[in-house]
Amino acid sequence: MNNRPRRNRKSEVVRSLVRETKVTTEDLIFPLFLLESPSTSIEVNSMPGIYRLGLEKMLSEIEECMRLGIKSFDVFPVVEEKHKDKTATKSYDDSFFYLKALRKIKQEFPEACIITDVAMDPYSSDGHDGLVDKNGNILNDETLDILAKMTLAQAETGIDVIGPSDMMDGRVGHLRQELDVNGFENVSIMSYSAKYASSFYGPFRDALDSAPKSGDKKTYQMDPANQREALIEAELDVLEGADFLMVKPALSYLDVIKTLKDNFELPIAAYNVSGEYSMVCAAAEKGWLEKDAVMNEVLLSIKRAGADVILSYYAKEFAKKS
């Protein structure tokens, strides 16, 4: 017997020599939830080990993560109900705590890559990513102008990458133009190209208190049954000026990650979302899974499918154990 693949598995040293896929801290983006109260820290009940943080606490968290090798962060605002309205006006109010905090974070950590979210839902009294009319319809083109104001306000804080997660048609081109004509041509766009209407977002919506007040998001987020449609969305984003193409969620859509990787030259990002994180935590708490081993396998599977960048709530934990 001449062919014995087991020879390349006989020890950890040999296995590491021939390992095809490796995840490092450089591949990871750590999502963070920002509170208005500067010194507050509140654990997300449905996401063990993940906290909503005021600015003071977040600066400390970023500093610790930077020492561990995590250098990219996606900062999401936790907006209190009193600040929300139908047109998300706080999203582009320069005096609002989120924009002020972004400016401070970039001042303190200019070497970090700070990514922001562009969508109406954290600021909207309707809880939708777009503008809602009196009949409950999501208005696409009217939403674009609000997203453009939001994008420009975020760019002015000095952040590095915007992440339009709204799934409105034409938004990448609209936002690219807004950035360019205002002198922010170096701000990148990490487009949520294939964002599915998934059941895995529940804990994230708990963290931000951003669930829709009525209806669902199926008229703008993608149908989980569709794969080829992701090619249409991604191609439009490429043509409109995106710098990264994202698939969200990651684990149930590994085939979509591979499809985009095989068809486009841009870096592929994947969001290992809250529900994917929380179900592993819950099983580990029951003693049904070994959390660290599953964490590593999950991240490897996403990287192996073709993701160049992974947004994951495991990022800090992975860095500590690397």
Side-chain angles (χ1 to χ4, degrees), residues 195-254:
K195 181 179 180 181
Y196 286 84
S198 171
S199 299
F200 284 99
Y201 301 149
F204 178 92
R205 291 173 182 168
D206 288 344
L208 292 191
D209 190 23
S210 62
K213 299 300 188 293
S214 62
D216 54 43
K217 301 190 176 188
K218 293 180 180 179
T219 65
Y220 49 100
Q221 293 179 355
M222 286 179 56
D223 187 332
N226 294 353
Q227 183 195 70
R228 292 192 304 273
E229 187 183 11
L231 292 171
I232 298 172
E233 291 282 3
E235 184 174 11
L236 287 169
D237 288 353
V238 170
L239 294 173
E240 291 176 21
D243 300 287
F244 299 78
L245 305 175
M246 188 195 294
V247 177
K248 180 182 180 182
L251 275 184
S252 293
Y253 300 87
L254 296 175

Side-chain angles (χ1 to χ4, degrees), residues 232-290:
I232 298 172
E233 291 282 3
E235 184 174 11
L236 287 169
D237 288 353
V238 170
L239 294 173
E240 291 176 21
D243 300 287
F244 299 78
L245 305 175
M246 188 195 294
V247 177
K248 180 182 180 182
L251 275 184
S252 293
Y253 300 87
L254 296 175
D255 59 325
V256 180
I257 295 171
K258 185 177 187 330
T259 296
L260 265 57
K261 183 67 172 180
D262 289 345
N263 284 277
F264 299 99
E265 297 300 320
L266 289 180
I268 305 301
Y271 202 144
N272 179 205
V273 298
S274 59
E276 296 169 345
Y277 171 85
S278 295
M279 67 183 183
V280 172
C281 291
E285 286 179 0
K286 289 280 190 179
W288 296 340
L289 293 175
E290 203 284 290

Side-chain angles (χ1 to χ4, degrees), residues 120-230:
M120 286 182 61
D121 56 327
Y123 315 90
S124 167
S125 52
D126 293 304
H128 277 283
D129 295 36
L131 188 63
V132 183
D133 71 9
K134 62 182 180 180
N135 297 315
N137 299 310
I138 311 301
L139 303 177
N140 192 95
D141 294 4
E142 292 84 347
T143 297
L144 298 184
D145 290 333
I146 296 171
L147 300 180
K149 293 177 183 178
M150 189 186 309
T151 292
L152 184 57
Q154 292 177 0
E156 288 171 344
T157 69
I159 55 92
D160 303 276
V161 183
I162 64 159
S165 63
D166 56 287
M167 288 300 287
M168 297 297 115
D169 291 340
R171 91 272 204 210
V172 171
H174 196 83
L175 302 184
R176 183 74 268 163
Q177 182 178 14
E178 183 73 10
L179 289 167
D180 290 355
V181 299
N182 285 283
F184 294 105
E185 61 275 1
N186 288 328
V187 173
S188 305
I189 297 179
M190 180 181 287
S191 175
Y192 288 59
S193 299
K195 181 179 180 181
Y196 286 84
S198 171
S199 299
F200 284 99
Y201 301 149
F204 178 92
R205 291 173 182 168
D206 288 344
L208 292 191
D209 190 23
S210 62
K213 299 300 188 293
S214 62
D216 54 43
K217 301 190 176 188
K218 293 180 180 179
T219 65
Y220 49 100
Q221 293 179 355
M222 286 179 56
D223 187 332
N226 294 353
Q227 183 195 70
R228 292 192 304 273
E229 187 183 11

Side-chain angles (χ1 to χ4, degrees), residues 33-34 52 76-79 84 122 203-210:
F33 300 119
L34 180 70
R52 290 173 284 194
F76 296 88
V78 182
V79 181
K84 298 181 181 185
F204 178 92
R205 291 173 182 168
D206 288 344
L208 292 191
D209 190 23
S210 62

Side-chain angles (χ1 to χ4, degrees), residues 19-31 65 68-74 113 115 190 244-247 250 257 261 267-272 295-296 298-316 318-319 322:
R19 192 160 287 145
E20 299 173 24
T21 305
K22 296 180 181 179
V23 178
T24 73
T25 55
E26 293 179 347
D27 301 319
L28 302 179
I29 297 170
F30 192 20
C65 288
L68 292 168
I70 302 294
K71 299 180 180 179
S72 298
F73 306 89
D74 199 344
C113 177
I115 303 159
M190 180 181 287
F244 299 78
L245 305 175
M246 188 195 294
V247 177
I257 295 171
K261 183 67 172 180
I268 305 301
Y271 202 144
N272 179 205
M295 169 184 72
N296 290 329
V298 163
L299 295 175
L300 270 174
S301 72
I302 298 168
K303 183 81 181 287
R304 191 183 64 242
D308 301 286
V309 177
I310 305 171
L311 292 86
S312 179
Y313 301 98
Y314 294 124
K316 183 181 178 183
F318 175 87
S322 295

